[in-house]
Amino acid sequence: MSEASKRLLDNAAAFKGKKGPRIDYKLKEGRKLDPLWSVRTAMSFRLAGVDDLTLSFGVVESFSEFLSTMIDDIQTDMGLDAVVMCGSLFGEKKILQKTHLLIAKNHVVYFNKNLPMDEINTVFGALLLAL
């Protein structure tokens, strides 16, 4: 994990408030996340004076909401039996809690504790949202 990623997640974990700023996440063609879109939104909040902890929490919270919305859209378009959450990203408590809370409202959620989704492992028989 890069130093910037670690700092962002540490700041989000240290945030004691209830709500962060709404960071926009957008998909490019091919269902790939457009990181510049999110960076632009976060930069505008930073330039407006939002502190590091609040902004970091907003990045994490908004990403969780984005994932939940994408899963709901996939359910509508294709149908889902369940959602499996795995990978090192969900090892971060704030992301895991927020994302699980949002997804579990509408879907059965399973956790794969033995096989993280990363560049080493492969997924068969699944719809993969490339982020």
Side-chain angles (χ1 to χ4, degrees):
M1 177 183 305
S2 74
E3 182 60 35
S5 299
K6 183 172 177 3
R7 186 169 176 201
L8 177 103
L9 294 171
D10 289 346
N11 284 346
F15 179 70
K16 301 297 181 202
K18 293 188 182 224
K19 200 89 170 126
R22 177 80 176 126
I23 305 300
D24 295 328
Y25 288 89
K26 182 178 177 181
L27 294 179
K28 296 190 283 189
E29 190 174 319
R31 286 195 180 226
K32 293 188 179 188
L33 188 63
D34 182 354
L36 291 179
W37 191 268
S38 305
V39 168
R40 282 185 209 129
T41 307
M43 284 177 64
S44 68
F45 281 110
R46 185 69 180 121
L47 291 171
V50 174
D51 66 275
D52 290 350
L53 299 183
T54 304
L55 183 57
S56 296
F57 185 76
V59 168
V60 169
E61 178 183 46
S62 296
F63 185 69
S64 295
E65 291 169 357
F66 168 77
L67 286 178
S68 177
T69 300
M70 289 305 304
I71 290 169
D72 289 345
D73 290 348
I74 291 168
Q75 168 63 34
T76 301
D77 294 345
M78 305 170 90
L80 292 173
D81 294 324
V83 174
V84 177
M85 294 175 65
C86 59
S88 59
L89 179 66
F90 296 113
E92 300 300 327
K93 188 176 179 181
K94 287 258 184 179
I95 294 175
L96 176 62
Q97 286 176 331
K98 182 69 176 177
T99 307
H100 180 261
L101 179 71
L102 291 167
I103 293 172
K105 286 181 187 177
N106 300 323
H107 308 281
V108 176
V109 177
Y110 296 105
F111 295 92
N112 185 341
K113 297 177 183 173
N114 296 321
L115 183 63
M117 179 103 67
D118 55 26
E119 294 174 10
I120 297 170
N121 298 301
T122 306
V123 177
F124 293 100
L127 177 63
L128 177 62
L129 177 63
L131 300 175

